[in-house]
Each structure stands twice: as structure tokens, then as C-alpha cells.
Amino acid sequence: MSKKITDAFKNGKAFIPFITAGDPSIEKTKEFILTMEKAGADLIEIGIPFSDPIAEGVVIQEADLRSLEAGTTTDTVFDMVADLRKETDMPLVFMTYLNIVFYYGYERFFNRCEEVGISGIIIPDMPYEEKGECADIAAKHGVDVISMIAPTSEERIRTIAGEARGFIYVVSSMGVTGVRSKITTGLGSILGHIKEVTEIPAAIGFGINTPEQAKEMASIADGVIVGSAIVRLVAKYGEDAAPYIYSYVKGMKDAIR
């Protein structure tokens, strides 16, 4: 289990922002990550762009395409993280798709994660039942494969939570990522089932956008994950997005303290 991930949840509720690497450029992504850390982020998810991100809504799909068109590769993302490590030791996790990891080679991918200090990975299109080889190799290199739990049966929630590592990504509602005006899923009962079988922290993501939503979700979970809202700021302000990102992340973190 990654100590860095565990530590991210030790100082109250964790705020976990997401950003797509390479949008609008790798250098700017590095700047935005350091900006989010200064604004109070506890752990940051870095998206490695993929051509068919099936769990993502339009905002992140478009960011992936912009990033790929700008020439971002898995290697350039690894190099950026290695460069970041000269300036920060904060916990970082990747979010990407199984084809990226498989094509790169499990052993090579997770060895590189270990080298640059990536603590975990979220792979939305990898079913729980099929994580075997990938998760074993990741664990060997000290990388936690983060389990995602969606609204599903009590038995399945308990099964996935019982074997989870790092933290649990609780999906707030069925569908893809993106801002929602209302989050209505019975998350309290899902969190209750999780807490019955594990002490690993659980963070809620998908659709959270406002400080009010963040505060509500933080009242039942150990952390809050926000992606599309930040990626939208990058889409709107491009290379000049840093101050807007700082203000947004600070406001969200303040709301859940």
C-alpha cells in the first residue's frame, strides 16, 4: 500500500483534482500541477491521453484529443513527472485506459511508475475480475491499482472494497465523467458497505463541480475528486489557466476543510 496515498488522507478530507497531461502542452501541465498543489490539493490525478476514453464526457474527451494532437505520448508524460519530482514530492496517480498500459508493457510501465514516483493508477475500463496480472505487477513496483466502485449490488461493493488498495474511487452516478447539477445516488449506503469491510479511504468522483457539492460529498466520504471542471478551465483559458485553476482548487479545498 502506498504510504503517499495514505498520507494524503491524514489531514482531514482530501481534495483530489484531475488534469489531462499535455493539454495545452506538457510544460503547462507541469505548471498547473504545481499550481494545484499550492492551492491545497492533497493528491493529483494525471490523465494519460487516450483516443477512446470511454468513461469520459465531452470535456475530457476533447482534452485528450487536443493533447494527442499536440504530440503527447506515454513517454512524454513519464518524463514530465520525472521533471516534476525535482520540485515536489506530492502524491500523484495516473488515470488512463488498459490499452495504454498493455501496449507499453505491464512490467515496463510500472517500473517507470516506480522510477518517477507514481503512487497509483486508475484504469476505468479494467473490470475487477480481470485485474490479476496487471495488479500483481503494479504491486511489485509499489503502485496501487485504485478500485472503482459504482452503484451496484451490496455483495459486489463488499467484494471490491475488501481487496482495494490505496483509496477507493466511488463513482457518484452511472454514466460518464462531467459536471452534474445534482448528485442523487444513494452514496451513504455505498460508503457504509465499504466501511464495513475496509479502513481504506474512499473518495467520491464523477460530476462534482461546486463547493456546495464538494462539502456535501465530503460529509460522507474521505475525499472528493474533481476533473471536468478543471479541464474546462484549461479549455477556456489555455496557457493562461493557472490563476483560475488556483482560485478554483483553493475554493473547493476550503469548502471541505
Side-chain angles (χ1 to χ4, degrees), residues 6-7 16 25 43 46 54 56 64 70 78 93 95 107 113 117 129 133 144 202 204 214 220 223 239 242 245-246 251:
T6 304
D7 287 349
I16 306 171
S25 69
L43 182 156
I46 301 171
I54 57 170
E56 315 299 352
D64 276 20
F78 274 125
V93 302
M95 185 166 185
E107 180 64 41
C113 284
E129 290 79 7
E133 182 187 18
D144 293 334
I204 299 175
I220 57 171
E239 297 196 346
I245 292 170
Y246 180 90

Side-chain angles (χ1 to χ4, degrees), residues 26-174:
I26 281 289
E27 273 308 307
K28 281 291 165 182
T29 302
K30 183 182 154 192
E31 178 190 339
F32 297 159
I33 289 170
L34 293 172
T35 297
M36 290 191 286
E37 180 184 22
K38 287 187 187 111
D42 298 286
L43 182 156
I44 294 175
E45 287 181 22
I46 301 171
I48 301 178
F50 182 53
S51 56
D52 299 284
I54 57 170
E56 315 299 352
V58 173
V59 172
I60 296 177
Q61 284 179 21
E62 290 177 346
D64 276 20
L65 291 176
R66 286 193 299 269
S67 176
L68 291 170
E69 284 168 3
T72 306
T73 67
T74 305
D75 278 321
T76 59
V77 178
F78 274 125
D79 291 344
M80 177 199 70
V81 176
D83 206 31
L84 262 174
R85 285 301 179 213
K86 298 169 189 169
E87 299 180 59
T88 180
D89 195 39
M90 84 167 305
L92 301 170
V93 302
F94 280 148
M95 185 166 185
T96 194
Y97 289 80
L98 188 56
N99 192 56
I100 293 276
V101 185
F102 179 78
Y103 182 78
Y104 201 86
Y106 291 151
E107 180 64 41
R108 180 171 166 238
F109 186 92
F110 290 113
N111 180 62
R112 195 90 167 88
C113 284
E114 183 178 19
E115 286 176 354
V116 302
I118 290 291
S119 300
I121 187 167
I122 301 157
I123 308 176
D125 63 338
M126 183 175 70
Y128 164 77
E129 290 79 7
E130 296 174 19
K131 69 177 187 176
E133 182 187 18
C134 176
D136 289 345
I137 296 170
K140 185 177 82 171
H141 290 286
V143 180
D144 293 334
V145 174
I146 309 299
S147 295
M148 299 184 85
I149 291 181
T152 183
S153 70
E154 179 181 334
E155 183 184 349
R156 185 167 177 80
I157 290 168
R158 288 167 176 269
T159 300
I160 296 172
E163 293 186 18
R165 296 177 61 87
F167 73 91
I168 294 168
Y169 191 131
V170 179
V171 178
S172 69
S173 49
M174 303 302 276

Side-chain angles (χ1 to χ4, degrees), residues 158-214:
R158 288 167 176 269
T159 300
I160 296 172
E163 293 186 18
R165 296 177 61 87
F167 73 91
I168 294 168
Y169 191 131
V170 179
V171 178
S172 69
S173 49
M174 303 302 276
V176 296
T177 58
V179 169
R180 288 166 174 76
S181 58
K182 231 173 162 185
I183 297 170
T184 55
T185 306
L187 292 168
S189 64
I190 294 174
L191 270 296
H193 297 321
I194 290 170
K195 295 304 179 187
E196 285 171 17
V197 296
T198 183
E199 293 181 0
I200 285 177
I204 299 175
F206 275 50
I208 298 167
N209 173 43
T210 67
E212 293 75 25
Q213 286 175 331

